[in-house]
Amino acid sequence: SAVISQKPSRDICQRGTSLTIQCQVDSQVTMMFWYRQQPGQSLTLIATANQGSEATYESGFVIDKFPISRPNLTFSTLTVSNMSPEDSSIYLCSVVRQMNTEAFFGQGTRLTVV
Amino acid sequence: DAKTTQPNSMESNEEEPVHLPCNHSTISGTDYIHWYRQLPSQGPEYVIHGLTSNVNNRMASLAIAEDRKSSTLILHRATLRDAAVYYCILRDVSGGGSNYKLTFGKGTLLTVNP
């Protein structure tokens, strides 16, 4: 298994500001991902966080809006920039230890933009 | 990505078996069938996965049709803690080490009655 700590667990932010979400894993993992879950919806992959290089973004997500860092094999951050109420969602970190094994998910960060 | 089709919701009684179906008629030879579940206010958790043969673990069983176009997740004795959204996901392993994308559909909301 993998123990994932996501911070903050929830936040209420003013529109136009930015929030950085942290994801810390208890041991080294091969892959780290960020997902978004909009209210009442399923999960959507935002990007794959690559260690030491730029993240790989899915269609519809851009680096300027969701900058991601992954400085090492156990830590990643997702920033939600210039927030609007439409960014109100749960943001989840996910990790995979090795290919062809299961993915583990953090508890999520519940973001409300007012 | 190959698509899956699941019922929106199902209901079960406590301590009875539950069979959650999933159709994936466009599955390819390199698609693994994964099941995750999401309990209320939590991130998804891995349940089980398989390729061709039926699989069992401590949480559930996975029955895969001979043509692989459908599968069934079996909870042998449902408990109240099993109430969750269950996601059936196809993961393509043909990309090798660089590909680990999970595409979540709407899933099946399982209600367990006491």
Side-chain angles (χ1 to χ4, degrees):
Chain A
S1 66
V3 177
I4 301 172
S5 172
Q6 245 187 270
K7 293 180 181 179
S9 59
R10 59 177 61 228
D11 208 342
I12 301 173
C13 300
Q14 296 292 323
R15 68 176 67 199
T17 63
S18 298
L19 176 71
T20 296
I21 303 167
Q22 299 180 358
C23 177
Q24 178 73 55
V25 193
D26 62 337
S27 59
Q28 293 182 355
V29 294
T30 300
M31 305 189 79
M32 297 184 77
F33 307 89
W34 288 98
Y35 287 81
R36 180 177 73 182
Q37 188 168 28
Q38 294 176 299
Q41 303 297 312
S42 185
L43 283 78
T44 301
L45 180 64
I46 297 172
T48 302
N50 300 310
Q51 191 218 346
S53 64
E54 190 173 292
T56 304
Y57 290 85
E58 297 298 308
S59 176
F61 297 97
V62 295
I63 187 171
D64 289 347
K65 177 66 175 177
F66 298 102
I68 289 170
S69 77
R70 188 181 172 191
N72 56 51
L73 293 175
T74 63
F75 185 78
S76 178
T77 66
L78 167 73
T79 299
V80 186
S81 303
N82 188 25
M83 289 183 285
S84 67
E86 291 69 35
D87 294 320
S88 298
S89 295
I90 299 172
Y91 293 86
L92 297 112
C93 172
S94 175
V95 305
V96 172
R97 287 207 181 283
Q98 298 174 4
M99 294 307 293
N100 297 325
T101 62
E102 67 266 37
F104 298 94
F105 289 80
Q107 297 283 52
T109 296
R110 184 180 294 271
L111 171 63
T112 302
V113 183
V114 297
Chain B
D1 294 329
K3 301 293 186 201
T4 63
T5 304
Q6 300 177 251
N8 290 333
S9 63
M10 290 186 65
E11 207 167 318
S12 171
N13 296 319
E14 202 175 6
E15 298 191 5
E16 290 184 357
V18 182
H19 290 235
L20 296 164
C22 180
N23 288 320
H24 28 78
S25 58
T26 60
I27 192 170
S28 73
T30 54
D31 284 325
Y32 274 78
I33 302 162
H34 284 244
W35 284 82
Y36 284 78
R37 71 180 185 181
Q38 187 172 22
L39 281 63
S41 301
Q42 295 191 24
E45 66 172 342
Y46 167 81
V47 178
I48 200 166
H49 78 282
L51 183 62
T52 56
S53 303
N54 294 343
V55 185
N56 300 295
N57 66 20
R58 63 176 180 81
M59 289 182 69
S61 296
L62 177 59
I64 301 173
E66 197 167 332
D67 63 6
R68 301 212 320 128
K69 293 185 177 183
S70 66
S71 61
T72 302
L73 179 70
I74 303 166
L75 306 179
H76 296 284
R77 288 184 65 199
T79 69
L80 297 179
R81 289 192 68 256
D82 291 322
V85 178
Y86 287 78
Y87 297 100
C88 171
I89 301 169
L90 300 182
R91 186 173 87 83
D92 181 9
V93 299
S94 62
S98 63
N99 180 19
Y100 199 107
K101 181 177 177 178
L102 296 178
T103 302
F104 286 79
K106 296 185 183 300
T108 297
L109 174 62
L110 176 66
T111 301
V112 180
N113 301 313

